[in-house]
Amino acid sequence: MPPTSLFIFISLLTASWLYYQLAKKFNIVDKPNHRSSHSHATVRGGGIIFPVAAILWWIIFDFQNTWMILGLILISGISLLDDMFELSRKLRFGVQFLAICFSFYDLGLFTYFPAYTWPIFFFFALGVINAINFMDGINGITGLSGLVFFGTLLVLDDYYQLFDEDLIQYILLSLSVFLLFNLRKRALMFAGDIGSISMAYMMIYFMTEWYIETESWTIILILLVYGADVFLTMVKRYQNGEKLTEPHRSHLYQLFVNQAKIPHVYIALLYAVLQALINYILFVQPSDKLPGNYLALVFLIGMAILYLIIKSQVQKSHPSTSS
């Protein structure tokens, strides 16, 4: 008989607290710089609890989906090393690519779709990994957005009967534990690359599983709020001739926090609530069908317009804000 949710929660909480103590001892901390949205040295890598929860699920539930878990271990391991040391971009990219291969193999994607479509899946997967990593810049935003994403899947599975509910519940428990350390004015821990990238990896896994079942591109709207901020910010930075791989403070959430001086937690809640509302309208309320192409385009265009209007207003109110 599997352990209760309370037991798993307490176990994950204990593991997080132990990591917090070890990280302080070995100086695994994020020190603020001129691009940071925080002002105090903070333990980095608290998101290690996400892959720990998934591995715990794998052990308890008879070693299912081993290839996916191996990919998670790979991508989490290289991300943790990158949190501790500065690794080369090529090495990180290579390991991420291999981990995604394991994930796709586990799902049988290579047998479902012809080879000429595979680059599209890899492009999307690597894009999601980088998008989630880019957006992990303020307290609460990664944890709350993860709760909305996986919480939505848990609700939808009453209709689809597609996802592994136990795995989703373990991920949700790990997110809840992490938020105890992170969703506060002065965070005790940041997710780090290991947190944002491992969470993105699991998002990709479930979205790919969802797409194999439905073959509808409109499922990407479950990440619409993040997607709008990342994509439109990259377009603007490209127009300005900036290097897209360099750190910056141009995302809308960063402007809210650094220029408008709105507390981190408020902005994280705003992003999560807006995405939850979109998910309810597009996926949960009409649970027997996915949004059609025209409705999806309306939401994509509408979000882009809303984003540009709000960003323009923030920049006008704070003329020193760049891009």
Side-chain angles (χ1 to χ4, degrees), residues 129-159:
I129 284 175
N130 283 283
I132 300 297
N133 197 26
F134 289 158
M135 293 294 290
D136 181 35
I138 60 173
N139 303 349
I141 196 165
T142 294
L144 288 174
S145 296
L147 280 182
V148 170
F149 180 92
F150 290 105
T152 300
L153 292 189
L154 193 61
V155 172
L156 289 177
D157 203 51
D158 284 341
Y159 169 72

Side-chain angles (χ1 to χ4, degrees), residues 14-33:
T14 303
S16 288
W17 182 252
L18 288 173
Y19 175 80
Y20 176 67
Q21 298 300 328
L22 288 171
K24 287 196 299 182
K25 180 178 180 179
F26 293 103
N27 199 35
I28 308 174
V29 297
D30 196 336
K31 297 177 181 179
N33 56 43

Side-chain angles (χ1 to χ4, degrees), residues 203-272:
M203 286 179 169
I204 292 161
Y205 181 81
F206 282 104
M207 290 184 73
T208 304
E209 186 176 25
W210 196 4
Y211 182 79
I212 290 172
E213 175 71 16
T214 64
E215 295 194 22
S216 173
W217 68 271
T218 63
I219 64 171
I220 66 170
L221 297 182
I222 198 172
L223 293 174
L224 178 58
V225 177
Y226 263 32
D229 202 344
V230 172
F231 178 75
L232 293 174
T233 298
M234 288 179 66
V235 169
K236 182 63 175 178
R237 295 187 69 223
Y238 178 78
Q239 291 175 341
N240 292 343
E242 301 175 39
K243 282 189 176 182
L244 300 182
T245 55
E246 289 184 350
H248 62 92
R249 301 210 306 184
S250 312
H251 288 296
L252 180 56
Y253 79 85
Q254 292 172 316
L255 303 187
F256 277 136
V257 167
N258 298 313
Q259 305 301 327
K261 304 302 180 184
I262 301 174
H264 290 211
V265 173
Y266 293 173
I267 299 306
L269 284 169
L270 173 65
Y271 272 60

Side-chain angles (χ1 to χ4, degrees), residues 42-58:
T42 307
V43 166
R44 179 194 300 172
I48 193 174
I49 201 63
F50 308 153
V52 166
I55 293 168
L56 193 59
W57 163 85
W58 177 66

